[in-house]
Amino acid sequence: MYGNQRVLVLGMGDSGLSACRWLDAHGATVTVADSRQSPPQLARFQQDMPHMTLHLGPFDDMIFGGIDYAVVSPGVPISDPAIARAIARGIPVIGDVELFARWIATWPSKVIAITGSNGKSTVTSMVGHLCEKAGLKTVVAGNIGLPVLDALEACEEDRADGAGYPDVFVLELSSFQLETTQSLRCESATVLNVSEDHLDRYDGMDGYAAAKARIFAHSKVQVLNQQDVRSLGMQKPLQKVLTFTLNTPTDPNQFGLLDQGKGIQLAKGNTPLFPLIDLPLAGLHNAANTLAALALIDGADIPLASVLPHIRSFKGLAHRVEPILTLNGVTFIDDSKGTNVGATEAALKGMTEPVLLIAGGDGKGQDFTPLRDAILQSGKAVYLIGKDADAIAAVLAGTSIPLSRHDSLEAAVEAAWSNAREGDVILLSPACASLDMFRNYAHRADVFIEAAHAIAARTQG
């Protein structure tokens, strides 16, 4: 399929390396470029693929000479001047998800695709868990961690061993990935919600939402959030639509919460499905996530009866409103994956205890104003770190919420602990990216967890 193709791969992150491996294994002639002089995976690339031509430093027009198309990594903006000029000259620019989509176009496997500003990793993991527990051969990949082409390579190896095709691919897709995807065909797909994020890359919310909406280009069933204006506004006239809401369902194709006098149930239309009280994940935002997952599964023609018994065994994701420990009645909760305002807003609104919030980092151009009401609802105090600490402080000006700024996350945790009382929650939910202070959100979580355990060892020792 790739034997006579000359391909330029842009970016040496995980997906870029995955694309290089895939294309190389299938006979393409690959050149790879990275705008950084010393990308973090350079040594690995040189070890694994020493025969490939490598360009380092700012992109220029010369690297696009003599190629059939370019494969751009999600972290590389297609607005880069050299890439934009290549597109204007008619050079195709695609992503690894598009390579994946073209390869599986004739496979019998179903594809369920998830995007959104918040909740997409939880919903992706939940759908994957429920499908697998229902006995389906399931592959979960994409923005959630496993590059789609690495997943595809494993599937090809399974097929060679006689294991056949997967029953279902469950894909988490970012707006960056969707920008360069044209032909992905899905049984069901969703944009869970749209809130401010990545505005350092997009020209406003309309551009960001439009990138998300590309997930519906070839989807048989759209799953839309009845309570999110932008998600609901993506409805396409010729596609079947299922919706989800935290209100009572108003039609047979709506998933919501139903109270028939025997406790609130997750429901489809008037049909009860699962008791709200038995959800393994706390917070109404997780009820919405579960409803979205069920709508996606239903939209893919997978019987709901086969998955409902397995909701109880889903344990959620690391670093997403994850309790770490409870010390003297104070609970430390890690929500380091809350990297935008909407995620932190949802985490705060899901809390029933007083919250000492640790927030801050690189806000990527977001408007922090929505945090104000959420903090006033459940916040007891706010401890700010990172590049945009002052911007968060500004939206809380004039409130009675105590604020303090700290040079390190460890110092913020210590300050929160000194003010915490029995029944309080110390919540790390930064509403910001981590790269101004940490390698990534997982590193930020590790520092928070280590600080919490250090306090526990000191207090209990």
Side-chain angles (χ1 to χ4, degrees), residues 2 9 12-28 30 32 41 44-45 48-49 51-52 99 145-151 153:
Y2 301 104
V9 175
M12 292 175 61
D14 289 343
S15 63
L17 287 173
S18 174
C20 287
R21 285 193 297 266
W22 172 263
L23 290 162
D24 187 51
H26 290 82
V30 181
V32 63
Q41 304 236 39
R44 181 178 171 191
F45 173 84
D48 294 351
M49 289 164 281
H51 56 285
M52 288 186 186
L99 287 174
L146 177 65
V148 290
L149 294 177
D150 284 356
E153 184 64 35

Side-chain angles (χ1 to χ4, degrees), residues 114-448:
I114 297 103
T115 193
S117 299
N118 301 299
K120 57 185 179 290
S121 294
T122 297
V123 172
T124 301
S125 297
M126 183 180 292
V127 171
H129 169 84
L130 294 176
C131 288
E132 184 176 5
K133 292 295 184 181
L136 300 175
K137 184 178 180 182
T138 304
V139 176
V140 178
N143 192 59
I144 199 165
L146 177 65
V148 290
L149 294 177
D150 284 356
L152 191 52
E153 184 64 35
C155 292
E156 288 289 295
E157 292 173 0
D158 286 349
R159 289 182 62 216
D161 292 338
Y165 295 96
D167 294 308
V168 59
F169 287 100
V170 185
L171 304 181
E172 177 188 325
L173 301 177
S174 70
S175 59
F176 299 166
Q177 290 170 311
L178 288 164
E179 288 175 7
T180 52
T181 301
Q182 294 93 37
S183 63
L184 182 66
R185 298 187 177 276
C186 309
E187 294 297 314
S188 60
T190 187
V191 176
L192 296 169
N193 45 61
V194 182
S195 61
E196 286 198 3
D197 201 2
H198 302 302
L199 296 187
D200 53 344
R201 178 149 160 173
Y202 292 101
D203 184 17
M205 285 290 289
D206 288 345
Y208 174 50
K212 293 285 190 190
R214 292 172 64 91
I215 202 169
F216 295 129
H218 305 288
S219 176
K220 292 181 182 178
V221 177
Q222 290 184 277
V223 173
L224 304 175
N225 184 345
Q226 184 72 37
Q227 295 176 286
D228 186 281
V229 173
R230 287 191 180 269
S231 173
L232 196 61
M234 294 174 186
Q235 183 170 343
K236 298 169 73 74
L238 299 181
Q239 288 175 315
K240 180 179 178 180
V241 173
L242 299 174
T243 60
F244 64 96
T245 176
L246 290 174
N247 296 321
T248 302
T250 56
D251 69 65
N253 287 322
Q254 188 167 92
F255 287 75
L257 300 180
L258 186 64
D259 188 354
Q260 295 179 327
K262 298 180 180 179
I264 299 174
Q265 297 271 333
L266 278 65
K268 181 184 180 185
N270 291 322
T271 303
L273 299 174
F274 191 86
L276 176 64
I277 196 171
D278 289 345
L279 285 182
L281 304 181
L284 281 176
H285 62 294
N286 280 316
N289 289 336
T290 307
L291 292 165
L294 293 176
L296 287 161
I297 289 167
D298 187 49
D301 287 327
I302 298 168
L304 288 176
S306 69
V307 304
L308 292 173
H310 306 294
I311 293 175
R312 288 180 178 85
S313 59
F314 179 68
K315 301 304 181 187
L317 298 176
H319 315 313
R320 193 69 186 97
V321 198
E322 180 185 14
I324 301 304
L325 59 86
T326 299
L327 181 64
N328 295 348
V330 176
T331 302
F332 292 77
I333 295 181
D334 168 21
D335 189 39
S336 184
K337 207 171 188 300
T339 56
N340 60 52
V341 168
T344 296
E345 189 180 6
L348 286 166
K349 289 182 177 179
M351 296 291 163
T352 57
E353 306 86 357
V355 175
L356 296 97
L357 174 67
I358 301 172
D362 183 354
K364 301 173 292 183
Q366 295 176 96
D367 177 8
F368 291 107
T369 303
L371 286 181
R372 182 184 176 100
D373 287 345
I375 291 171
L376 288 173
Q377 175 181 307
S378 56
K380 180 177 178 180
V382 177
Y383 305 85
L384 297 172
I385 61 172
K387 174 183 173 183
D388 284 324
D390 288 346
I392 299 174
V395 305
L396 295 172
T399 71
S400 60
I401 298 291
L403 295 173
S404 56
R405 295 168 180 79
H406 302 274
D407 292 334
S408 69
L409 177 53
E410 295 93 333
V413 175
E414 288 286 350
W417 169 248
S418 69
N419 293 321
R421 300 293 180 266
E422 183 176 355
D424 289 348
V425 164
I426 296 176
L427 172 67
L428 171 67
S429 187
C432 291
S434 59
L435 298 181
D436 60 328
M437 297 176 69
F438 306 94
R439 293 190 300 274
N440 48 43
Y441 74 82
H443 177 214
R444 178 168 60 190
D446 289 342
V447 172
F448 174 74

